[in-house]
Amino acid sequence: MQTPTKPYTLIDGRKISIEIKQEIAAKVAERKQAGKKIPHLAFILVGDDGASQTYIDNKVKACKDVGYHYTMMRFADTISEEKLSKHITAVNNDEDVDGFIVQLPLPAHISVERITDRIRPDKDVDGFTNRNFGSIISKVPLLMPATPFGVMELLRRYNIETEGKNCVVVGASRIAGAPLSMMLVQQGRATVTICHKYTQGLADYTRQADILFVAVGKPGLITGDMVKEGAIVIDIGTNRVEDRSKPSGFGLVGDVDFKNVAPKCSHITPVPGGVGPMTIASLLLNTLRATELRHP
Ligand code: GUN
């Protein structure tokens, strides 16, 4: 007879992000009362990629929810790198803008590296610049990379201890896996293994994980047999898949085969509603921090 599986805890990023937004809204109201500057977040969107538009819509809504000022700047996908750079310099120098983001992906003719490094680090609320990446190992971080910052906050608010734990991070991207790994080591005191597309025998690593983080962008990459019994699984993947039952015609799935993995876990994040809303909450937290640094 099969032993019944223990129910897992669903890590509710949506709920936590609402709590964070309420905390931020209260701070904005306090600043307003005290006659201090209201945070102003600007968005730069190049081209008309549908997914990017959805992400930006969600970020704009979050600004409205907490009472931030915001500016939307759109450019055609034919814009040259030089012209885009000039716009970034203008936003860098705009005294009223406290933080801004350049939504990715950018068209192929524009270098993400060069564009990202044009952003003033103290306005880089995505935490994408090299300065902010390095900030992870600083005693006084400037602005944390938003996605891993959101993941760490989610663990903290669910009282998930990382010290001495075996953490396996699948994916070594600049915006998620690489900074997350460093945060887990530095702030989380974890033992960290980073796996990526060149890793051989991926399952041999993932099965060792007390906490497994996945940020690759491949639906169904992590299957039930790749996770140890009782593990905690954090799915950072956000993949658009066709879903004719939805008015938009698509749905979101992560990198984890949720149906078969969840019954083995003690905790797991859903997609949507897990890490995604936390990235937006981090963006808002970073914008508040950027504003407080400029206008204490
Ligand atoms: N594209 C996908 N995720 C992100 C993000 O967190 N920030 C930006 N700027 N672009 C993205």
Side-chain angles (χ1 to χ4, degrees), residues 98 122 125 143 285-295:
D98 300 295
D122 61 349
V125 285
L143 297 168
L285 283 170
N286 273 346
T287 305
L288 183 63
R289 176 161 166 75
T291 310
E292 287 170 346
L293 288 171
R294 291 160 56 75
H295 305 276

Side-chain angles (χ1 to χ4, degrees), residues 55 59 101-104 126 128 147 175 279:
Y55 294 139
K59 291 171 188 178
I101 69 159
V102 179
Q103 186 65 28
L104 303 180
D126 260 329
F128 282 179
T147 296
I175 67 172
T279 297

Side-chain angles (χ1 to χ4, degrees), residues 163-200:
E163 186 174 297
K165 293 282 167 61
N166 214 355
C167 290
V168 176
V169 179
V170 184
S173 72
R174 260 187 73 98
I175 67 172
L180 174 62
S181 305
M182 197 44 69
M183 280 186 192
L184 286 166
V185 173
Q186 290 289 330
Q187 298 161 16
R189 299 173 179 175
T191 303
V192 179
T193 305
I194 309 174
C195 300
H196 43 70
K197 63 181 167 192
Y198 303 107
T199 298
Q200 293 177 18

